[in-house]
Amino acid sequence: VTPELDARDGVGKAGWSEGGQVVVGSVMPNLPAAKAGLKAGDLLVSANGQPLYSIARLPEIVNATSGQPLEVVYEREGVRQL
């Protein structure tokens, strides 16, 4: 684990960067992500228009939808999809 200092406020973050990528590790059959076509290896770009740099952000976005469908932009093999 290598801490990174934020250039703006000088605070360190150990183990991850806000500029990271969120890659789908697996998709459970018959759940909404599978029904929407997401597959292991897809790169999640944004959810409801908010960029995803950390998986920790996704539950916050999902909870804010109040059960409404989530619009997810992802990349598969370098092609951006909705």
Side-chain angles (χ1 to χ4, degrees):
V1 176
T2 304
E4 291 187 17
L5 289 181
D6 184 300
R8 185 180 66 222
D9 59 18
V11 175
K13 297 168 185 73
W16 63 278
S17 168
E18 289 183 10
Q21 296 181 330
V22 179
V23 177
V24 176
S26 64
V27 179
M28 302 284 292
N30 301 318
L31 291 181
K35 291 177 181 177
L38 285 174
K39 296 181 179 182
D42 288 345
L43 172 67
L44 301 182
V45 176
S46 66
N48 281 2
Q50 298 182 49
L52 291 173
Y53 301 117
S54 167
I55 194 64
R57 181 81 174 104
L58 189 56
E60 296 173 24
I61 297 169
V62 171
N63 289 337
T65 68
S66 301
Q68 296 299 310
L70 188 67
E71 182 178 282
V72 176
V73 176
Y74 63 97
E75 286 185 15
R76 180 179 296 149
E77 297 177 2
V79 178
R80 198 165 278 207
Q81 304 185 38
L82 175 64

